[in-house]
Amino acid sequence: MGLRASEWITVAYFAYLAGAAAVVPGIARRQRRRAIGTAIAVVIVVLTVAAFDTSALVWRDWMPLMYILLGYRLPALLVTSTNQELERWLLTLDRRWLGMENGTMISERAPRPVIELLELAYLFCYPMVPIGLACLHVAGLREESDRFWTAVLLAVFGCYGVLPWLPTRPPRAIEGGPTPSSGFVRRINLRVLGVASIQLNTFPSGHVAASLATALAVYARLPSAGLSLGLLALAIALGSVVGRYHYAADALAGVALALLGFVISRSA
């Protein structure tokens, strides 16, 4: 059994990261070796899985979840400092587009129930992808797994792969904004980010890209479920900006990558 389209994407992405780790300046030798070694190990795993006839094994459909996690964390090893000029430009766009005058946060102007609802939606960005794949499997559409992952991986790897070249801090780290005591769901989100996040901003937004790509991939075969996921993806995008987890430009670029990944996946 050969490589699936989504597995080719995975191999290409981690090969790219290995190459980036070899040329990005200023990285400690230990980090450089770790990044290259991890990238090569993932490529070997993907090729090994494809070398055997494992197409009948359901776990192969779920392995990209591990690739996404590693693909998110690995680029952080290649970052030594953030691009403050880019951060200022992104903040300028936010103030222009969102009317953030005098440093006033959106979350300080919007009704509290709306803020909490968007915070709750943002919390769902983590289970969104497996929920989408589960919808296809439950509906007996397991054969759609590769198309699903093609759309999602193109979107998220397109976001993560930019990080070594355009590293920024999330806006909440620059502006301050709402404190952890400003809402129950907000506190949960910040706690999750404190444990699971690499504490860097991905431009474009990986959360927005993954959520929308998931919704579109499901909608192609299950319109009702896809529409529900699409509404959730919209709320995640809004929550990412309102909660200052991402800049507005991050979210818009994430939408663009999700659309591109979906179009490619349906034409493959």
Side-chain angles (χ1 to χ4, degrees):
M1 186 68 179
L3 286 172
R4 299 173 177 179
S6 56
E7 291 170 337
W8 277 112
I9 293 168
T10 302
V11 168
Y13 174 69
F14 282 93
Y16 154 76
L17 286 183
V23 300
V24 171
I27 307 172
R29 182 177 300 177
R30 181 179 178 183
Q31 283 184 257
R32 196 183 301 276
R33 287 200 303 263
R34 180 183 171 191
I36 294 174
T38 303
I40 293 174
V42 174
V43 170
I44 292 173
V45 168
V46 176
L47 295 177
T48 301
V49 169
F52 298 93
D53 189 4
T54 58
S55 58
L57 302 178
V58 175
W59 57 263
R60 185 175 177 182
D61 298 340
W62 294 88
M63 285 193 70
L65 288 172
M66 178 184 70
Y67 304 150
I68 287 178
L69 179 60
L70 292 171
Y72 167 66
R73 305 198 72 85
L74 191 54
L77 296 175
L78 311 182
V79 176
T80 56
S81 62
T82 58
N83 187 328
Q84 295 186 13
E85 183 177 350
L86 177 59
E87 290 173 348
R88 286 192 292 270
W89 179 71
L90 291 170
L91 283 173
T92 298
L93 290 181
D94 274 3
R95 294 188 181 102
R96 184 182 306 163
W97 293 347
L98 306 176
M100 295 169 56
E101 298 177 359
N102 300 320
T104 304
M105 299 293 100
I106 303 174
S107 53
E108 295 173 351
R109 304 198 306 264
R112 179 56 50 193
V114 173
I115 296 300
E116 283 293 280
L117 187 61
L118 291 178
E119 289 281 352
L120 180 61
Y122 188 76
L123 187 60
F124 271 86
C125 68
Y126 304 102
M128 178 81 159
V129 174
I131 287 173
L133 183 62
C135 287
L136 294 174
H137 278 231
V138 170
L141 296 170
R142 189 189 159 203
E143 71 277 4
E144 283 292 307
S145 295
D146 190 36
R147 282 184 183 270
F148 172 88
W149 284 120
T150 297
V152 172
L153 294 182
L154 283 173
V156 297
F157 287 162
C159 298
Y160 303 157
V162 177
L163 184 60
W165 316 110
L166 297 176
T168 56
R169 292 169 293 172
R172 71 182 187 281
I174 301 174
E175 302 166 327
T179 65
S181 62
S182 61
F184 175 72
V185 185
R186 173 77 173 183
R187 292 198 298 273
I188 295 176
N189 271 323
L190 292 176
R191 184 177 294 272
V192 170
L193 288 170
V195 173
S197 173
I198 58 175
Q199 307 303 320
L200 292 168
N201 180 64
T202 58
F203 171 76
S205 167
H207 287 150
V208 173
S211 300
L212 182 56
T214 295
L216 292 171
V218 173
Y219 180 82
R221 295 301 304 272
L222 299 171
S224 296
L227 181 59
S228 298
L229 291 175
L231 293 175
L232 178 56
L234 174 61
I236 288 172
L238 292 174
S240 72
V241 177
V242 172
R244 308 310 289 148
Y245 302 108
H246 282 283
Y247 305 92
D250 297 344
L252 291 176
V255 168
L257 272 181
L259 292 171
L260 178 61
F262 173 70
V263 169
I264 293 174
S265 72
R266 303 316 295 182
S267 61

